[in-house]
Amino acid sequence: MDLTRRTLLASTGALAAASLAPDVLAGPGAPAAAGSGPVDLELVPMQLKLRHTWTISRNSSNEKKNGLVKLTAGGITGYGESAANVRYSQSWESGEAAFAKVKAAVAGLSPWEHLAWLERAEAEAGKDSDIVAAVDMALWDWKGKAVGQPVHRLLGIPSGRMPVTTFSIGIDTAEVMQQKVKEAAPYPRLKVKVGLPGDEANVKAIRAVTDKPIRVDANEGWKTVAEAVERINWLKTQGIEFVEQPLPAAMDADMKAIHAKSPLPLVADESVLHPADVPKLVGLFDGINVKLAKCGGITRAYEMAAIGRALGFKLMLGCMIESSVGIAAAIAVAPLYDWLDLDGNLLVANDPFKGLSIKDGVWALPDGPGLGVVPV
Ligand code: MG
């Protein structure tokens, strides 16, 4: 079967789920008025404060300005979160401008016309995929609330197969990182940022106080094939599980040489944004790290899981620094994935939403309607 045909077939599940009509989803007694009447759509800022300064190979930050999309119709409000990422030339300001265009383009649509919203949002938002994601999340949250069901149930996601999520240990002094490892005691798997000067000392400092499985993310921090191969071989000696994004995405062609020599699985992150990027990575990476803010939300993350699976990739689901809204949206599709890195809300000191619970690194699928989170 050719790739295009296989990709189309893989997408069918999400397309069908996204376009289910209310009379199919709702049992007797569901709110008949839901969806009738005007739709109010707004974007408000969410200023998130971080528990610790967050350092990766590109930059450091103490706080994050995300956006909360509120979609109200028929007396029900659905929430979605935008998390702009400077790596993709996104900012609060560019997101606000994209949102205004999206809002104008979807005027007059019912929330049940989900795919029409999604296609118009993608056409208008351009590089601001996090705005598309926020709108998609708000649609799913709204639909779930309208029929009184959690989003994961609308998607047909099986319970009982949630992978353990990693908890990220931010780069800091050896002493602080070791303290963070102690604070991460409830989490059985750790993630560490590399691709920075001092990698070896950082990994050794963490390894000195834990024997938990560790995954590393180079965030495009190595600049040549030789450097990446040398670093990956060293990481193999430290009991590392896999390596994310060794080279800049613009150097994807060089990944073939690294892939041929790497003793550890290699996972694409900055090299894979949208469903259409996935087939291009065959032979270059072993896995793909999907994030809702990159791909445009729950619907596209469902599609990417299907496409990635069909092409033989290991599937990882990651996140940005986000509140419980964005993480809840990822949790709704997380059981489709092999590896989870969903800790963005755990790094936030002033999460404006609640409703999620995690035990021994395993997120519970929420029971509440929609995304299962409510304002604090
Ligand atoms: Mg990454």
Side-chain angles (χ1 to χ4, degrees):
M1 195 187 304
D2 73 62
L3 215 52
T4 312
R5 169 98 180 117
R6 202 154 45 161
T7 303
L8 278 174
L9 280 178
S11 308
T12 311
L15 301 189
S19 47
L20 280 178
D23 55 340
V24 176
L25 289 169
S36 58
V39 176
D40 185 48
L41 195 61
E42 61 174 324
L43 172 72
V44 296
M46 270 198 296
Q47 197 76 41
L48 304 178
K49 290 185 172 40
L50 305 189
R51 293 184 191 279
H52 295 285
T53 300
W54 181 243
T55 300
I56 69 169
S57 72
R58 278 187 289 276
N59 50 38
S60 287
S61 47
N62 287 307
E63 50 182 22
K64 179 97 198 294
K65 189 177 184 181
N66 283 1
L68 181 69
V69 164
K70 297 183 188 178
L71 187 164
T72 305
I76 295 166
T77 297
Y79 296 107
E81 180 166 4
S82 64
N85 188 328
V86 65
R87 167 63 179 80
Y88 305 111
S89 308
Q90 299 162 346
S91 65
W92 165 258
E93 289 74 21
S94 70
E96 227 182 356
F99 177 79
K101 289 201 282 181
V102 170
K103 184 176 173 176
V106 299
L109 290 177
S110 153
W112 294 109
E113 296 172 278
H114 193 139
L115 287 178
W117 281 69
L118 194 51
E119 286 164 8
R120 291 186 197 183
E122 286 171 335
E124 296 297 332
K127 65 179 170 54
D128 292 286
S129 54
D130 62 316
I131 293 294
V132 179
V135 168
D136 180 78
M137 291 176 206
L139 286 165
W140 280 112
D141 191 34
W142 186 92
K143 290 196 295 185
K145 287 170 175 169
V147 297
Q149 293 290 339
V151 171
H152 59 86
R153 203 162 295 149
L154 300 190
L155 288 165
I157 302 290
S159 57
R161 51 163 103 156
M162 184 70 78
V164 169
T165 187
T166 42
F167 184 83
S168 295
I169 304 298
I171 295 301
D172 214 308
T173 63
E175 208 170 41
V176 173
M177 285 190 296
Q178 290 178 338
Q179 181 57 35
K180 287 180 182 177
V181 171
K182 281 183 197 152
E183 290 170 22
Y187 304 100
R189 286 191 145 72
L190 303 177
K191 176 166 158 175
V192 178
K193 296 290 188 181
V194 294
L196 296 147
D199 272 2
E200 268 194 45
N202 292 339
V203 171
K204 278 182 179 165
I206 292 170
R207 258 292 163 248
V209 291
T210 184
D211 56 5
K212 289 177 182 175
I214 296 176
R215 298 162 181 180
V216 302
D217 187 354
N219 281 115
E220 312 179 286
W222 300 318
K223 302 305 178 195
T224 66
V225 170
E227 182 187 14
V229 170
E230 192 266 323
R231 294 287 77 202
I232 294 165
N233 281 324
W234 181 78
L235 288 162
K236 168 75 176 170
T237 69
Q238 301 299 305
I240 301 301
E241 276 192 297
F242 63 74
V243 180
E244 251 183 83
Q245 198 69 35
L247 293 181
M251 293 177 68
D252 271 353
D254 291 298
M255 282 305 302
K256 195 167 185 184
I258 298 179
H259 189 241
K261 293 178 190 162
S262 177
L264 294 175
L266 304 172
V267 178
D269 182 356
E270 287 85 347
S271 290
V272 59
L273 308 184
H274 306 289
D277 297 330
V278 183
K280 295 182 238 172
L281 301 178
V282 172
L284 307 182
F285 290 91
D286 303 286
I288 55 169
N289 184 355
V290 173
K291 294 175 185 170
L292 271 56
K294 291 191 298 179
C295 71
I298 294 169
T299 313
R300 298 306 185 214
Y302 185 116
E303 289 174 23
M304 286 179 82
I307 294 164
R309 191 67 79 199
L311 294 172
F313 285 109
K314 291 290 267 186
L315 304 175
M316 175 175 180
L317 188 62
C319 64
M320 306 298 180
I321 304 280
E322 296 172 66
S323 81
S324 285
V325 173
I327 301 301
I331 287 171
V333 287
L336 299 176
Y337 285 76
D338 302 303
W339 298 323
L340 300 186
D341 180 27
L342 298 179
D343 64 351
N345 58 336
L346 304 173
L347 308 175
V348 170
N350 63 336
D351 193 337
F353 281 79
K354 61 178 183 182
L356 296 180
S357 68
I358 187 166
K359 189 167 183 290
D360 301 326
V362 179
W363 287 109
L365 281 171
D367 284 328
L371 295 176
V373 292
V374 294
V376 171

